Each structure stands twice: as C-alpha cells, then as structure tokens.
C-alpha cells in the first residue's frame, strides 16, 4: 500500500495544495468580521504555512445565529432518520475519499507523520462519523408506566446549539468524537478548533455540506482561545460546550458556563497515566507498550503512559528493553518520510516548554537514561527525541505535570499496595495499565486504579464501542460509544391525560 507514498509524493501534493483558512459560517467561507488573519508556522520545518481567519466574538455570534436558525427550522433534526443516516454515511465516505488531502492538511498543522495522519487520524475520523450515522435510525424513545387514563412519553431530544472546542493533538479524531454524536442527535454545532490545527476542521465542514448536511448545522470559527473559544463558552444562546483540552482551560470553561446561561459542559482534560509493571510481567510486551504508550504522537497524547511504575527487581531490565524497542521501532523523522513513526512537536513555544520541563526534572534529581533532547534542528522544525528518566519519585515535577512531549518517568515500587497508592497519587484519572501474569492481581488493580480506562497487559487498545474520558481533574462526560449520544440530548416528558 505504501509504495507510492514516498517523500516526493507528498512534496508534490504539497506544491499544488491551497489550504482554505477562512471561517465556515452558514455554509459559506467567510473572512473574520475584523478582516484580521494569522499565519500558522509549520512544525515540520518552521516555515510559514496557512493563513487563517482570526475570528472574534462577532464571528462567534454570526455562527451561533446560523446554528440556531438551522436548529429551530427543524431542517435537520426533523428529517427522516433513514435520510439523515444516508447523508452522514456519505459524509464519512467523502472523508475517506479525500483522505490524502486531509492527511496532508493535518500533518502541515500538527507535524505528525503523514502516514499516521492517513492511516490513523483520517480513518478514525471517518469511522467515528459512520458509527454515529449508523445509530440514527436505531434510537427509540420510551413510554413511562402510568395508570390507564394517561400516556407519558419520555422523549430524548437534542439540546440545540453545541459549542465544540477542540485541541491540536488529534484534531480530526476529536472533532469526529463530538460532531458524530452531536449531529446524529439532531443538534447544530459551532466548532472552534485549536488555533494550531484548523485546516481539517474547515475541510470537514465543507465535506459535510457536500454530503447534504444542511447549511448552518455545522459551522467553524477559527481563532485564538481567548478571542473565539471564550465568547463561544460565554454565549447566551449556546446550550452546551463540549470541550477537549487542558485542565486549566477546562476550569475556565466551567466558569464561563456559570457566568452566562448555565449551559452544560462536558470536559475531556489532561492526564498523567500510570503503567504498572509487576515482577512477573511479560517484560517484552510491557516495554513495547510503555514505549508506544508514551512516545506515540511525540507524547502529545492526553492518555499517554507517562508514569512507568515498575517493580524495583525488574526496573533495569525493563528500561533496557524500552531503550531497545524505542531505537528499533520508533523512528523519528521528517513527517513526509515513509518510515517516520513520530514527527515534530506542535510549535516552537511548546518544544521550549517540554525542554524546560526536562531541565527542571534533572535539577530535581531525575537521571536521564536516554533521549529527551532536541534533534533535527537543522530542518528548522521542532523535534524532541523520545526519552526516559530514572531515579524519579512521584512527587517530582516530571511525575506530576503533564509534559505533552515524549518523556517517560520511571518510578520503582516494592509492593502491590505501594504500586496502587502511586498510581492513584495524581490529580488526573484518565487512563492506566497493569502488566502482570497474576490475573487476580490484574483485576484487583484494574478495579482500584481510579481512571476512565484501565488496560491489562496492553496499552491504548480501543474501538468506538468503548467510552473514553476521565475521572478527577481529567474531566467528566464520555466521548465515543453509544453513550456519547446521551450527552447531546436530554429527556422531555409529554404527559397526556385521557
Ligand atoms: P488548551 O486547553 O490550551 O486548548 C484547547 C482548546 O481550548 C483550543 O481550541 C484553545 O484555543 C481553546 N482555549 C484556550 N483558551 C481558552 C479560553 N480561555 N476559553 C475558551 N477556549 C480556550 O489545550 P491544547 O494545548 O490545545 O491541548 C492539549 C491539552 O488537551 C492537554 O492538556 C491534553 O491532555 C488535553 N487533551 C485531552 C484529551 C482527552 O480526551 N481527555 C484529548 C486530547 C487532549
């Protein structure tokens, strides 16, 4: 499959690509009301990339009005379920048909290998839209038990206008996690993508209209968080904010909701997930899971396994295996190189932040086992090699703060009780894993680790059937699975007395 996906192939496609960086409101490309724009710097080579509309509160208001008009008209929510399903399925097919273009746009914005964009991000985006399309004609309402002189319908109705605010690490996938259930349930959406990664969001909106989703049902406003995300979350005519991003901004979103119209919020936030390896574990499997779990997407993954809790007796052997698997399997290279497994970090400021957190960790006494250095600087891009720190304790900054770079902190333990206490000693609760051959212990640990997902003897396995999200300061509300539809609906009782 990959033979024609050479670096030259992508360079060639890039030479003819004209990314659209305008707002998408009421089915049309629009400039920001202020006329202002900003330029995205490409993480892969530090060169100026797309020019994007710099939206503000006036643009948010236009988009919300369009979304409200579409919702109140009933043009989408009251359409025959079978028809809606066909339209959303067509949208998924269009995403697949434009896979190469979408993958290229995602890579230009994010700096991840273009083959990962194509085979993971585009695929999962289309699969996500398809999953919810297929649910549309399978949703039933209820009739509540009453006496014979009454009939009470319990209807599940869409909320209205959903504001979606998304991050830059998996833009297309996370957009689909929100757009799929929100639109399938009959809502209208105003999407505010991260300022670093707006290109695929705009293209997804264009393809939605091409598939037949009525104009106004899906709008995109690009721009900075303070200038567009904040007015969206404060807007009096938005019924819900579905947010994925940092815990810090998640807290602000709750405040905006409280200050405005008590809109609902769903928050998918940060993580500092533990991967626990006992002395009886398959160390090869654990090493591979630890490396991929932490380093995939250059560590820019909310549920990355950034804390390796390892039984003291196998720590040295495991670190050696992680070093070997990282060297042999996880190739860091320019994102157009066919063999690249990981690429650049999102932007220069983020790379500097990652490097300064590494330096702070060393100052606190953590010891570098390997990697975690700036590399490929001659390209002009923002690359940091995967690295592991040992002599780390769970109270060091490397173990407590979300670094969002390819940095693993290894922390030894001696007993199961200690491992569990360390695993749960974090403000986050997004994910975790346990590696052991003792199934009793595996089940005890997986029940007791306070996280939205716990894997046993694997990491980061999932499909659309399983909910994803966190406990504690990793947020609340779940993306994915049939349950995600519930987030975008509420119950309405219609009582008829005979
Ligand atoms: P971020 O919180 O800085 O930004 C997320 C989004 O919020 C962006 O669109 C941004 O423009 C917007 N924003 C920023 N300030 C805002 C404000 N004051 N009001 C409204 N919107 C505002 O996060 P990021 O740097 O884009 O992404 C990384 C973070 O996202 C990490 O913490 C990561 O763990 C988290 N994340 C979580 C999940 C999950 O499912 N739990 C998935 C991916 C990323």
């Amino acid at each position: 499959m990959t033979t024609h996906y050479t670096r030259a192939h992508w360079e060639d496609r890039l030479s003819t690509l004209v990314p659209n960086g305008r707002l998408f409101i009421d089915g049309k490309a629009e400039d920001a009301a202020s006329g202002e724009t900003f330029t995205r710097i490409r993480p892969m080579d530090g060169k100026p990339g797309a020019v994007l509309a710099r939206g503000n509160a006036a643009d948010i208001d236009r988009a919300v009005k369009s979304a409200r008009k579409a919702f109140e008209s009933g043009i989408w929510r009251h359409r025959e379920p079978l028809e809606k399903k066909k339209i959303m399925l067509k949208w998924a097919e269009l995403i697949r048909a434009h896979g190469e273009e979408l993958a290229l746009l995602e890579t230009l914005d994010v700096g991840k290998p273009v083959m990962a964009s194509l085979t993971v991000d585009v695929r999962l985006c289309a699969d996500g839209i398809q999953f919810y399309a297929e649910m549309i004609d399978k949703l039933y309402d209820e009739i509540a038990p009453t006496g014979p002189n009454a009939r009470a319908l319990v209807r599940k109705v869409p909320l209205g206008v959903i504001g979606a605010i998304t991050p830059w690490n998996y833009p297309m996938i996370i957009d689909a996690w929100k757009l799929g259930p929100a639109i399938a349930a009959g809502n209208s959406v105003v999407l505010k993508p991260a300022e670093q990664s707006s290109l695929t969001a705009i293209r997804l909106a264009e393809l939605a209209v091409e598939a037949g989703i009525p104009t106004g049902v899906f709008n995109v406003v690009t721009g900075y968080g303070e200038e567009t995300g904040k007015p969206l979350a404060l807007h009096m005519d938005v019924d819900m904010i579905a947010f994925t991003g940092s815990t810090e901004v998640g807290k602000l979103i709750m405040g905006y909701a409280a200050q405005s119209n008590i809109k609902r919020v769903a928050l998918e936030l940060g993580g500092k997930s533990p991967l626990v390896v006992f002395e009886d574990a398959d160390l090869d499997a654990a090493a591979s899971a630890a490396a991929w779990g932490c380093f995939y997407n250059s560590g820019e993954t909310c549920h990355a396994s950034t804390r390796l809790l390892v039984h003291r007796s196998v720590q040295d052997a495991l670190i050696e295996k992680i070093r070997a698997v990282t060297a042999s399997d996880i190739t860091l290279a320019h994102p157009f190189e066919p063999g690249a497994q990981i690429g650049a970090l999102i932007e220069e400021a983020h790379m500097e932040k990652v490097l300064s957190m590494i330096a702070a960790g060393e100052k606190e006494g953590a010891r570098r086992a390997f990697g975690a250095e700036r590399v490929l600087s001659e390209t002009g891009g923002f690359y940091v090699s995967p690295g592991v720190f040992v002599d780390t304790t769970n109270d060091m900054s490397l173990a407590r703060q979300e670094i969002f770079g390819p940095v693993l902190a290894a922390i030894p333990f001696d007993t199961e009780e200690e491992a569990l206490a360390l695993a749960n000693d974090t403000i986050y609760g997004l994910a975790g894993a346990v590696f052991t051959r003792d199934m009793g212990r595996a089940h005890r640990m997986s029940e007791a680790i306070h996280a939205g997902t716990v894997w046993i003897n694997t990491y980061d396995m999932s499909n659309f059937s399983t909910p994803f999200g966190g406990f504690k300061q990793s947020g609340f509300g779940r993306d994915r699975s049939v349950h995600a539809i519930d987030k975008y609906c509420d119950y309405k009782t219609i009582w008829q007395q005979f």
Side-chain angles (χ1 to χ4, degrees):
M1 171 192 76
T2 52
T3 45
H4 83 279
Y5 287 128
T6 58
R7 182 160 176 169
H9 170 81
W10 295 108
E11 301 281 7
D12 195 41
R13 282 210 70 132
L14 179 59
S15 66
T16 56
L17 185 80
V18 186
N20 170 19
R22 297 169 81 199
L23 314 177
F24 193 81
I25 299 178
D26 219 26
K28 293 186 294 290
E30 298 269 357
D31 292 325
S34 67
E36 286 188 47
T37 58
F38 64 103
T39 301
R40 173 80 187 124
I41 300 297
R42 302 192 316 209
M44 66 183 188
D45 55 14
K47 293 189 178 145
V51 175
L52 295 130
R54 184 171 174 171
N56 65 22
D59 302 304
I60 288 291
D61 196 49
R62 277 197 289 162
V64 172
K65 285 200 169 87
S66 161
R68 174 60 63 192
K69 191 172 81 194
F71 183 75
E72 296 304 334
S73 75
I75 189 169
W76 176 245
R77 71 183 153 126
H78 290 153
R79 194 169 278 196
E80 284 292 327
L82 194 59
E83 253 186 77
K84 279 193 282 192
K85 178 171 91 169
K86 283 182 183 160
I87 290 171
M88 281 191 72
L89 286 175
K90 184 164 176 208
W91 186 19
E93 278 316 312
L94 285 172
I95 292 167
R96 293 187 182 106
H98 289 80
E100 280 196 28
E101 178 199 352
L102 286 163
L104 189 53
L105 292 171
E106 196 82 314
T107 286
L108 291 178
D109 267 343
V110 180
K112 66 176 80 187
V114 69
M115 290 311 295
S117 296
L118 183 64
T119 60
V120 179
D121 300 63
V122 171
R123 178 174 59 85
L124 293 181
C125 174
D127 288 355
I129 300 297
Q130 179 173 336
F131 184 92
Y132 293 102
E134 286 167 348
M135 280 185 71
I136 292 178
D137 59 349
K138 297 167 193 73
L139 297 168
Y140 291 79
D141 289 337
E142 296 169 2
I143 298 179
T146 58
N149 296 328
R151 176 169 299 154
L153 308 182
V154 183
R155 301 262 296 116
K156 224 184 213 181
V157 294
L159 296 174
V161 176
I162 310 297
I165 302 179
T166 51
W168 44 256
N169 55 347
Y170 296 94
M172 254 187 296
I173 295 177
I174 295 173
D175 290 349
W177 286 2
K178 305 199 184 309
L179 294 167
I183 293 178
N187 297 283
S188 298
V189 176
V190 176
L191 170 63
K192 205 303 274 179
E195 51 272 32
Q196 297 88 347
S197 59
S198 307
L199 296 176
T200 49
I202 298 166
R203 201 67 191 101
L204 288 179
E206 291 168 344
L207 295 176
V209 169
E210 194 179 324
I213 292 184
T215 59
V217 170
F218 174 21
N219 305 275
V220 179
V221 181
T222 57
Y224 294 100
E226 275 275 324
E227 296 172 3
T228 47
K230 182 175 176 181
L232 182 60
L234 280 170
H235 202 288
M236 293 300 286
D237 203 25
V238 170
D239 299 290
M240 175 191 176
I241 293 288
F243 175 81
T244 297
S246 60
T247 294
E248 191 189 349
V249 177
K251 290 180 182 180
L252 293 177
I253 299 287
M254 290 187 88
Y256 301 149
Q259 286 162 42
S260 52
N261 58 344
I262 318 193
K263 56 179 67 67
R264 288 133 209 261
V265 294
L267 303 174
E268 300 277 8
L269 308 176
K272 197 74 198 174
S273 301
L275 187 150
V276 186
V277 182
F278 285 95
E279 66 281 10
D280 64 342
D282 174 341
L283 290 190
D284 290 316
S288 177
W292 283 107
C294 186
F295 303 145
Y296 183 70
N297 213 41
S298 298
E300 295 171 327
T301 301
C302 49
H303 58 278
S305 55
T306 46
R307 288 188 301 141
L308 176 67
L309 308 180
V310 51
H311 193 272
R312 201 178 300 278
S313 65
V314 292
Q315 177 175 227
D316 292 348
L318 184 63
I319 300 296
E320 243 347 276
K321 285 179 186 290
I322 293 174
R323 184 204 304 270
V325 81
T326 303
S328 64
D329 292 3
I330 306 185
T331 307
L332 186 156
H334 185 285
F336 287 178
E337 289 294 341
Q341 298 289 353
I342 58 173
L345 295 179
I346 189 74
E347 58 192 357
E348 188 169 18
H350 183 61
M351 177 186 70
E352 294 300 343
K353 185 173 151 214
V354 168
L355 293 173
S356 75
M357 291 172 97
I358 291 168
E362 284 186 299
K363 220 165 163 196
E364 288 171 43
R367 185 166 54 83
R368 188 189 305 257
F370 65 89
E373 289 162 329
R374 182 170 189 190
V375 290
L376 299 180
S377 55
E378 68 285 1
T379 62
F382 316 123
Y383 300 85
V384 172
S385 61
V388 172
F389 282 85
V390 292
D391 296 344
T392 322
T393 59
N394 203 45
D395 53 5
M396 286 184 183
S397 57
L398 283 182
R400 301 212 81 77
Q401 293 172 10
E402 199 180 27
I403 300 173
F404 236 54
V407 183
L408 181 65
I411 302 163
F413 67 83
D414 294 299
T415 64
E416 183 179 324
E417 292 68 32
E418 194 190 349
L420 179 59
L422 286 167
N424 283 335
D425 179 16
T426 166
I427 61 166
Y428 298 111
L430 194 53
V434 50
F435 279 77
T436 176
R437 286 192 168 90
D438 176 344
M439 281 303 115
R441 178 155 65 183
H443 286 289
R444 275 195 307 277
M445 288 290 292
S446 59
E447 291 290 340
I449 292 176
H450 199 37
T453 302
V454 181
W455 288 282
I456 296 175
N457 293 333
T458 187
Y459 205 83
D460 203 12
M461 297 302 291
S462 67
N463 63 28
F464 272 95
S465 314
T466 53
F468 180 81
F471 293 115
K472 296 158 73 177
Q473 292 189 40
S474 292
F476 54 85
R478 295 289 181 264
D479 282 328
R480 291 200 324 230
S481 84
V482 294
H483 305 293
I485 289 264
D486 296 344
K487 230 166 52 175
Y488 300 100
C489 297
D490 212 341
Y491 293 109
K492 175 171 182 172
T493 300
I494 300 175
W495 182 289
Q496 184 183 9
Q497 196 72 29
F498 303 128

